[in-house]
């Protein structure tokens, strides 16, 4: 764990060195306090002189002042720079996650993933900001107390050590069980947060199907399961605390008795015995703190290993090295592909070619492989067999950033961020001018509804665009694609939420723009693709027909059946 954390600690090595100095000062000040108390009792009280009493009090005050400032430095440095270390890890995690292939997110629930990351980071933050400091400080104090106790009274110190195994045994037995239960509890919490996140995000669907009671019961069951484990964890921890307190103070009682006998016999002064008792309690407290912190560090070790395992997760899609100077062609050559989560092929021996300025339509029934073609073009997945070429070169050879700049995507679900209209549009091209922004909005027929919003382009559109309609979301997504100004526009069901008037308008825009841009459009509403240069009819991942609308309709094949079914329904 430490070796992996070291690279995040190295940039702050000077503050962490100052932290170690403060830890040493804190520990030695605490140790000096015990001797100061002994001096105060034996010299200050026993002398009967006010001057010596004030002198001994001044010494105690000096020790406490040094202790206070050292504690301030220790707490501030480890807490603040611990936060910075966690922030660096969190940033690396986020940067790494958004670079992973979609296949990774098929295998891992996003809600559960975020929950686990949040919990693991919280444990690691607590360890860095608190546990490490406590462990180091108490280790030094334990060692210092041991040396001083041996110096004060060797035989009495042996009695203290004879009691240590009695304290250690329950700590080891119950501590191990506590760690096991804590891990299970953490897993249950992750499951609970996953259920909560998933169902809140689908609240409209739940309400539409009047399944509120069912969902509430499901959440209640998850909560009950989490509470059962939490109760067991709390019981074990409470029992551990009670056991340790009883054993420790029983030991203190034994020491009090033996020390009292030595004071009566004149073998120890009252001040020396007070110091001895102080150091004994301090050593017992240090030992208990180290034992508890050791368990926390072990827990953090597991959390850290999970976090770094996530950071070491490799993207399946390997980046290429070549740039794309200008777009000239797209070609699928005998492409075979199946999603990792499915056994059967989604694409079967697919071959076709697209030239610049073409408007290509992909039609067919659901599951025919239309959206998959768009995903393969952007290398969200790599083909199993065959190859995809751009400018007669395999797309695997291109840098992903260069390859994906060729395309502007309008997905079937109009994904919008929880921000303003302007921020959502500029996501496509952060360097766009206001003029370019307005032109793209007009082309997508989105200017009217934007200008009717309270703050126009600066209007907040809510969580995932909840404040605007589905059609308005789709027009924003189309405007965003136009603003990207890429060579190829990918439209996946771009008119599914548009009315007939806006659909016709979009057709005109695409037709007028198609000589400049290459357009690949997926549509179930076939009226959208009538003007396409070429229509590819797909079924079970294969091209079963291809041609223009008129040509295909005259063949009385699968395409004609689709058209007749849609327009004669």
């Amino acid at each position: 764990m430490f070796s992996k954390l070291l690279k995040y600690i190295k940039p702050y090595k000077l503050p962490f060195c100052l932290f170690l100095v403060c830890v040493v000062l804190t520990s030695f000040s605490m140790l000096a306090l015990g001797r100061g108390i002994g001096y105060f009792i034996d010299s200050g009280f026993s002398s009967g002189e006010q001057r010596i009493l004030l002198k001994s009090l001044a010494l105690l005050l000096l020790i406490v002042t040094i202790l206070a400032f050292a504690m301030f430095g220790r707490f501030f440095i480890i807490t603040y720079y611990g936060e910075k270390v966690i922030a660096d890890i969190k940033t690396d995690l986020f940067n790494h996650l958004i670079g992973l292939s979609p296949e990774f997110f098929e295998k891992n629930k996003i809600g559960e993933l975020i929950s686990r990351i949040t919990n693991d980071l919280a444990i690691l933050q607590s360890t860095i900001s608190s546990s490490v400091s406590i462990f180091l400080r108490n280790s030094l104090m334990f060692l210092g107390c041991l040396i001083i106790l041996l110096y004060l009274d060797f035989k009495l110190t042996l009695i203290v050590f004879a009691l240590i195994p009695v304290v250690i045994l329950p700590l080891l037995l119950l501590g191990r069980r506590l760690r096991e239960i804590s891990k299970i509890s953490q897993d249950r919490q992750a499951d609970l947060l996953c259920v909560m996140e998933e169902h809140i995000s689908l609240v409209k669907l739940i309400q539409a199907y009047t399944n509120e009671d069912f969902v509430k019961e499901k959440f209640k069951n998850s909560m009950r399961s989490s509470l059962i484990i939490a109760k067991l964890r709390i019981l074990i921890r409470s029992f551990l605390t009670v056991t340790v307190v009883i054993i420790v103070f029983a030991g203190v009682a034994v020491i009090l008795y033996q020390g009292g006998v030595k004071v009566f016999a004149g073998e120890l002064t009252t001040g020396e015995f007070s110091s001895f008792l102080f150091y004994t309690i301090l050593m017992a407290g240090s030992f208990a703190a180290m034992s508890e912190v050791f368990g926390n560090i072990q827990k953090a070790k597991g959390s850290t290993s999970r976090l770094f395992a996530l950071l070491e997760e490799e993207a399946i899609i390997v980046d290429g090295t070549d740039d794309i100077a200008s777009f000239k062609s797209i070609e699928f050559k005998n492409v075979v592909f199946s999603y990792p989560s499915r056994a059967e092929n989604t694409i079967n021996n697919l071959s076709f070619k697209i030239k610049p300025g073409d408007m290509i339509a992909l039609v067919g029934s659901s599951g025919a492989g239309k959206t998959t073609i768009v995903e393969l073009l952007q290398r969200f997945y790599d083909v199993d067999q065959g190859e995809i070429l751009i400018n007669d070169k395999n797309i695997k050879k291109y840098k992903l950033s260069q390859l994906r700049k060729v395309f502007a995507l309008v997905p079937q679900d109009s994904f919008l961020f929880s921000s303003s209209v302007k921020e959502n549009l500029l996501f496509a091209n952060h360097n766009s001018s206001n003029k370019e922004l307005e032109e793209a909005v007009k082309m997508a027929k989105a200017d009217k509804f934007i200008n009717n919003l309270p703050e126009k382009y600066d209007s907040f559109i809510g969580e995932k665009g909840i404040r605007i309609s589905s059609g308005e979301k789709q027009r924003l997504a189309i405007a965003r694609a136009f603003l990207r100004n890429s060579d190829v526009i990918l439209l996946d069901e771009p008119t599914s939420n548009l009315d007939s008037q806006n659909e016709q308008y979009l057709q005109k825009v695409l037709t007028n723009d198609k000589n400049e841009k290459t357009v690949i459009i997926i549509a179930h509403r076939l009226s959208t693709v009538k003007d396409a240069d070429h229509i590819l009819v797909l079924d079970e991942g294969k091209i079963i027909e291809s041609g223009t609308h008129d040509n295909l309709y005259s063949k009385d094949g699968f395409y004609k059946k689709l058209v007749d079914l849609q327009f004669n329904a």
Side-chain angles (χ1 to χ4, degrees):
M1 181 181 71
F2 182 76
S3 62
K4 290 178 179 178
L5 281 173
L6 196 59
K7 76 167 188 174
Y8 290 98
I9 294 172
K10 274 183 178 178
Y12 313 111
K13 55 188 175 186
L14 179 59
F16 277 100
C17 286
L18 288 173
F19 158 73
L20 291 175
V21 171
C22 289
V23 168
V24 172
L25 280 174
T26 304
S27 302
F28 278 94
S29 298
M30 282 295 292
L31 294 171
L33 193 61
R35 295 299 288 164
I37 291 169
Y39 175 76
F40 177 76
I41 292 171
D42 284 342
S43 299
F45 276 139
S46 302
S47 67
E49 295 183 28
Q50 190 175 355
R51 180 181 59 81
I52 298 174
L53 183 66
L54 287 172
K55 182 181 175 183
S56 60
L57 277 173
L59 179 62
L60 281 176
L61 182 61
L62 176 63
I63 294 169
V64 170
T65 303
I66 294 170
L67 174 64
F69 278 101
M71 287 175 70
F72 168 80
R74 174 183 58 80
F75 177 78
F76 175 80
I77 293 170
I78 195 64
T79 304
Y80 176 67
Y81 286 97
E83 291 269 5
K84 288 180 79 72
V85 167
I86 293 300
D88 292 342
I89 295 172
K90 197 179 291 186
T91 301
D92 282 357
L93 275 168
F94 177 78
N95 293 343
H96 186 69
L97 281 173
I98 61 171
L100 291 177
S101 311
E103 184 177 337
F104 173 81
F105 298 100
E106 282 185 22
K107 298 174 182 176
N108 297 275
K109 290 181 181 178
I110 293 175
E112 186 175 346
L113 198 63
I114 291 172
S115 169
R116 289 188 183 280
I117 290 171
T118 303
N119 290 337
D120 285 342
L121 279 172
I123 291 168
L124 183 57
Q125 183 171 352
S126 173
T127 302
I128 294 173
S129 302
S130 176
S131 298
V132 170
S133 174
I134 292 169
F135 189 81
L136 288 173
R137 186 177 79 252
N138 283 282
S139 297
L140 288 172
M141 286 198 297
F142 181 85
L143 185 61
C145 287
L146 174 60
I147 293 168
I148 294 170
L149 287 174
L150 289 169
Y151 170 76
L152 288 172
D153 195 298
F154 184 79
K155 290 181 180 179
L156 204 54
T157 305
L158 290 180
I159 295 173
V160 173
F161 269 87
L163 296 170
I164 288 177
V166 182
V167 180
I168 288 178
L169 191 60
L171 281 173
L172 290 175
L173 295 175
L174 292 173
R176 184 180 300 172
R177 182 62 179 155
L178 182 61
R179 286 194 295 275
E180 292 171 358
I181 296 297
S182 295
K183 185 180 182 304
I184 297 170
S185 179
Q186 193 176 338
D187 291 340
R188 295 287 169 86
Q189 281 293 323
D191 294 340
L192 181 67
L193 287 172
C194 186
V195 169
M196 184 185 291
E197 188 271 338
E198 184 175 41
H199 287 86
I200 288 176
S201 65
L202 296 172
V203 66
K204 282 187 178 179
L205 182 66
I206 292 165
Q207 292 174 359
Y209 280 85
T210 61
N211 264 330
E212 291 93 335
D213 291 338
F214 172 78
V215 169
K216 287 175 185 177
E217 188 62 30
K218 185 175 179 181
F219 182 78
K220 186 179 178 182
N221 290 335
S222 294
M223 179 64 79
R224 189 183 295 115
S225 176
S226 178
L227 281 172
I228 289 169
I229 295 298
K231 182 181 180 181
L232 182 58
R233 174 176 55 81
I234 293 165
L235 276 172
I236 293 173
R237 182 150 194 164
S238 301
F239 186 70
L240 180 63
T241 304
V242 169
T243 306
V244 170
V245 167
I246 291 172
I247 293 172
V248 166
F249 279 93
V252 170
V254 172
I255 295 165
L256 282 171
Y257 174 76
Q258 291 294 330
V261 170
K262 282 182 173 284
V263 170
F264 296 154
E267 296 176 21
L268 279 175
T269 66
T270 305
E272 286 173 336
F273 179 62
S274 299
S275 293
F276 190 93
L277 191 59
F278 174 83
Y279 288 119
T280 302
I281 294 171
L282 189 62
M283 187 172 74
S286 299
F287 182 77
M290 283 192 298
S291 302
E292 184 175 351
V293 167
F294 184 74
N296 292 337
I297 290 172
Q298 289 298 106
K299 188 179 178 182
K301 187 177 179 181
S303 298
T304 307
S305 65
R306 283 193 295 272
L307 289 170
F308 283 105
L310 196 57
L311 279 170
E312 290 163 6
E313 188 81 36
E314 293 184 4
I316 296 169
I317 305 298
V318 180
D319 205 357
T321 56
D322 296 353
D323 294 325
I324 300 177
S326 61
F327 170 70
K328 295 175 184 175
S329 66
I330 294 172
E331 185 177 4
F332 274 59
K333 290 182 71 175
N334 306 315
V335 171
V336 176
F337 172 75
S338 63
Y339 285 100
S341 56
R342 303 176 197 171
E344 71 280 359
N345 290 336
T346 306
I347 299 295
N348 286 292
N349 200 32
L350 192 66
S351 298
F352 62 88
K353 191 166 186 176
I354 302 173
K355 301 189 297 296
D358 280 352
M359 181 177 176
I360 304 297
L362 305 175
V363 302
S365 54
S366 296
K370 305 182 296 296
T371 300
T372 303
I373 290 172
V374 170
E375 292 188 328
L376 290 175
L377 272 173
Q378 297 168 94
R379 273 201 82 196
F380 292 143
Y381 302 90
D382 277 335
V383 301
D384 298 329
Q385 295 177 36
E387 57 183 351
I388 301 172
L389 309 175
I390 288 183
N391 300 347
D392 298 321
K393 185 185 288 188
N394 195 309
I395 60 172
K396 292 181 181 179
K397 294 182 180 179
Y398 293 120
K399 295 175 184 173
L400 286 171
S401 59
Q402 290 284 311
L403 171 69
R404 289 169 183 167
K405 279 181 182 177
V406 171
F407 306 104
L409 174 67
V410 180
Q412 188 171 356
D413 297 316
S414 302
F415 299 112
L416 296 176
F417 295 97
S418 306
S419 58
S420 67
V421 170
K422 189 172 184 178
E423 284 180 36
N424 269 282
L425 292 170
L426 289 176
F427 186 76
N429 188 347
H430 298 289
N431 298 317
S432 299
S433 64
N434 287 336
K435 184 180 178 182
E436 290 170 330
L437 192 73
E438 289 169 5
E439 285 176 357
V441 165
K442 286 177 182 177
M443 285 176 68
K445 208 71 172 175
D447 53 327
K448 185 177 179 181
F449 93 81
I450 291 174
N451 288 320
N452 285 333
L453 292 172
E455 297 177 58
K456 297 182 171 51
Y457 284 88
D458 293 321
S459 297
F460 177 65
I461 59 174
E463 183 79 16
K464 299 178 182 178
I466 197 170
R467 290 187 174 185
I468 58 178
S469 69
S470 297
E472 289 166 344
K473 286 183 194 177
Q474 199 153 30
R475 275 178 274 171
L476 277 185
I478 292 167
R480 185 166 60 190
F482 286 152
L483 191 63
R484 187 168 172 81
N485 197 27
S486 297
D487 293 308
V488 182
I489 301 175
L490 303 174
L491 302 164
D492 192 350
E493 295 289 346
T495 62
S496 58
N497 290 311
L498 297 182
D499 54 52
S500 299
Q501 185 179 356
N502 281 312
E503 181 187 358
Q504 289 176 5
Y505 176 81
L506 180 61
Q507 287 175 348
K508 290 179 183 177
V509 170
L510 293 174
T511 304
N512 292 335
D513 202 41
K514 71 178 184 179
N515 291 325
E516 298 177 20
K517 304 292 183 186
T518 303
V519 179
I520 300 174
I521 184 168
I522 299 169
H524 284 294
R525 286 164 67 169
L526 300 179
S527 56
T528 311
V529 301
K530 287 172 68 176
D531 295 324
D533 297 309
H534 211 72
I535 299 171
L536 302 179
V537 184
L538 297 166
D539 187 42
E540 295 184 353
K542 298 176 183 177
I543 297 174
I544 55 172
E545 293 176 356
S546 65
T548 63
H549 169 75
D550 293 336
N551 176 256
L552 289 171
Y553 191 75
S554 65
K555 288 182 179 179
D556 196 27
F558 187 75
Y559 180 78
K560 185 177 187 301
K561 290 178 182 177
L562 288 175
V563 174
D564 290 342
L565 185 65
Q566 193 166 117
F567 288 99
N568 297 327

